[in-house]
Amino acid sequence: SVPCMLPLTRDLSDFYITAVLIYEIQLPRPQIAQAGIYTGQVTYTTGPGMDVDFGDQVLTSDSELVINLRLEVDPIFKVEFPGGSTLLSLEPDGGWLNWLNRGRKPTRLWREQAFNFSTSIPFKMIMQCEYTSGNHCAIAANDGHQVPVEIRMTLPPGMQDSAGRPVRDYLLNPHETPQLNPTRIILGQKGKLQFEVPRPDMESMLVHAGKAYSGQVTFIWDAQI
């Protein structure tokens, strides 16, 4: 007699395979991904010799494996000022005592204000002034005398202006709305605003000694979401 070998066929309808699929999304730069929900679909064939192959004797009930992908992108943008930042007093270096006690005229009036800054997206910087003097905001006395205030902004490394330059001592202009762009994601790093009355204009204030100068400046960080 000659032995006869027949292929063995078995119904594995109750056979399950659990798998973990890992995928990676590659972006040129994460900060250029606009906010929103991104969807996509990937299809793999199943069966012997296909994308998903469990062996020549294993046939699956479906010939395709369809995977639906969903990615939600939330931008990061946050500017945090410490308490008491809404009222700033411009003073000379070392305060007013050198002038009051020794008669030394101040060489400048200025103040810096620090803040915490986070962003993953570009934004436009808008500055609105109660009083303006040329391309600057201004402060004014009750008698109408005004002096300009130069306002400069410094942002952490990784921020650039439209020309690709670092945002360091960037002179703000109430008549312009510059767009500033991140080259990387920035999280909780320090920035600062500097307010200074130019020296010639500061000297004109000394003629009006005893007058109180004030003015309001509003900053708007317009995130480009």
Side-chain angles (χ1 to χ4, degrees):
S1 63
V2 178
C4 180
M5 300 186 64
L6 299 175
L8 176 63
T9 303
R10 180 173 296 176
D11 183 5
L12 298 178
S13 58
D14 295 330
F15 179 67
Y16 299 93
I17 295 177
T18 301
V20 176
L21 299 176
I22 300 175
Y23 69 91
E24 179 182 17
I25 295 178
Q26 296 183 350
L27 298 173
R29 289 183 298 168
Q31 64 270 20
I32 69 173
Q34 296 184 356
I37 297 176
Y38 295 76
T39 60
Q41 190 177 84
V42 181
T43 301
Y44 296 99
T45 57
T46 62
M50 300 293 111
D51 297 322
V52 181
D53 185 353
F54 298 108
D56 293 343
Q57 302 301 319
V58 178
L59 301 177
T60 57
S61 57
D62 296 321
S63 60
E64 290 183 339
L65 172 63
V66 179
I67 299 176
N68 294 304
L69 304 176
R70 183 181 186 273
L71 173 67
E72 185 172 351
V73 176
D74 293 322
I76 299 172
F77 191 82
K78 193 172 186 180
V79 182
E80 294 180 296
F81 283 86
S85 301
T86 57
L87 182 61
L88 299 179
S89 297
L90 304 185
E91 296 183 351
D93 293 314
W96 293 100
L97 292 180
N98 284 334
W99 186 31
L100 295 176
N101 296 338
R102 304 174 185 174
R104 294 180 181 176
K105 293 183 179 180
T107 57
R108 66 171 181 166
L109 298 178
W110 73 293
R111 173 72 68 175
E112 283 187 353
Q113 179 59 64
F115 56 88
N116 287 332
F117 180 72
S118 301
T119 189
S120 62
I121 54 176
F123 68 94
K124 291 184 178 180
M125 190 67 190
I126 302 171
M127 183 174 69
Q128 299 175 345
C129 313
E130 181 180 5
Y131 308 107
T132 57
S133 176
N135 292 329
H136 306 289
C137 291
I139 52 178
N142 293 335
D143 62 4
H145 182 243
Q146 295 186 11
V147 292
V149 179
E150 293 182 350
I151 302 176
R152 301 177 185 273
M153 182 172 64
T154 296
L155 294 177
M159 290 299 304
Q160 294 182 346
D161 62 14
S162 58
R165 297 169 296 201
V167 183
R168 185 179 302 116
D169 293 327
Y170 188 92
L171 184 61
L172 298 175
N173 185 332
H175 308 300
E176 297 178 352
T177 307
Q179 177 166 307
L180 306 176
N181 306 300
T183 60
R184 60 181 179 84
I185 296 177
I186 297 172
L187 295 174
Q189 297 190 30
K190 295 293 185 182
K192 69 177 181 179
L193 291 166
Q194 179 177 303
F195 304 79
E196 182 173 351
V197 177
R199 182 167 183 172
D201 299 287
M202 181 274 301
E203 291 178 349
S204 73
M205 296 175 68
L206 300 181
V207 180
H208 298 258
K211 297 292 183 180
Y213 289 78
S214 64
Q216 188 176 80
V217 181
T218 302
F219 300 98
I220 301 173
W221 281 263
D222 184 12
Q224 302 300 288
I225 299 177

